[in-house]
Amino acid sequence: MDDHWYEEETGPLVRPYTVTRGRTRPEDGFRLDLTSQVTAVPGAEPRPGSDHARVSLFELVRRAPRPVGELAAAADLPLTVVRVLLADLAGAGLIEVRPPAHRSAAADPELLREVAARLKRL
């Protein structure tokens, strides 16, 4: 009989609130949109002894800028946890967060016609 338990059988062994030290919101009113772009600060390195969750998120954005929602999915963590961790990384000067790019209020009429035509075909 195998006495080992695996995460697939028991669920996550570390609960998300322990990763954030019980915090459910970023400090200082730090706000993130799901589509905000997160990038690593060039040359920045996590401090020795930084926890796995924060270092993992940092490594994800070091490879390429990513939106907050994609980071939550890639890290397999709840969005609330990822927001707290990203605020910590920003506070440490490791990442930059850019608001989502807003498109012009005027929509392209040709694009709208094509969308309407394709919807009619459905």
Side-chain angles (χ1 to χ4, degrees):
M1 180 175 185
D2 189 1
D3 288 336
H4 296 282
W5 289 12
Y6 298 97
E7 190 168 321
E8 293 83 26
E9 298 168 346
T10 63
L13 298 177
V14 176
R15 298 290 177 222
Y17 67 85
T18 61
V19 174
T20 63
R21 297 180 187 103
R23 294 175 293 148
T24 58
R25 293 188 180 137
E27 295 175 3
D28 301 329
F30 188 79
R31 296 190 47 90
L32 291 169
D33 187 276
L34 278 174
T35 58
S36 295
Q37 289 292 313
V38 182
T39 58
V41 171
E45 291 291 331
R47 290 191 336 226
S50 294
D51 65 80
H52 175 73
R54 286 169 182 80
V55 171
S56 296
L57 281 175
F58 179 74
E59 290 301 324
L60 285 171
V61 298
R62 185 193 312 239
R63 292 182 204 135
R66 292 186 178 211
V68 173
E70 185 179 313
L71 286 170
D76 196 25
L77 289 170
L79 183 60
T80 55
V81 171
V82 170
R83 284 181 168 152
V84 171
L85 298 178
L86 290 174
D88 292 349
L89 291 172
L94 299 173
I95 64 167
E96 294 177 346
V97 179
R98 292 189 180 95
H102 292 287
R103 295 185 179 198
S104 167
D108 178 11
E110 186 59 34
L111 177 62
L112 291 175
R113 279 193 275 288
E114 184 170 338
V115 168
R118 289 185 185 205
L119 285 172
K120 288 178 185 177
R121 286 187 224 149
L122 293 176

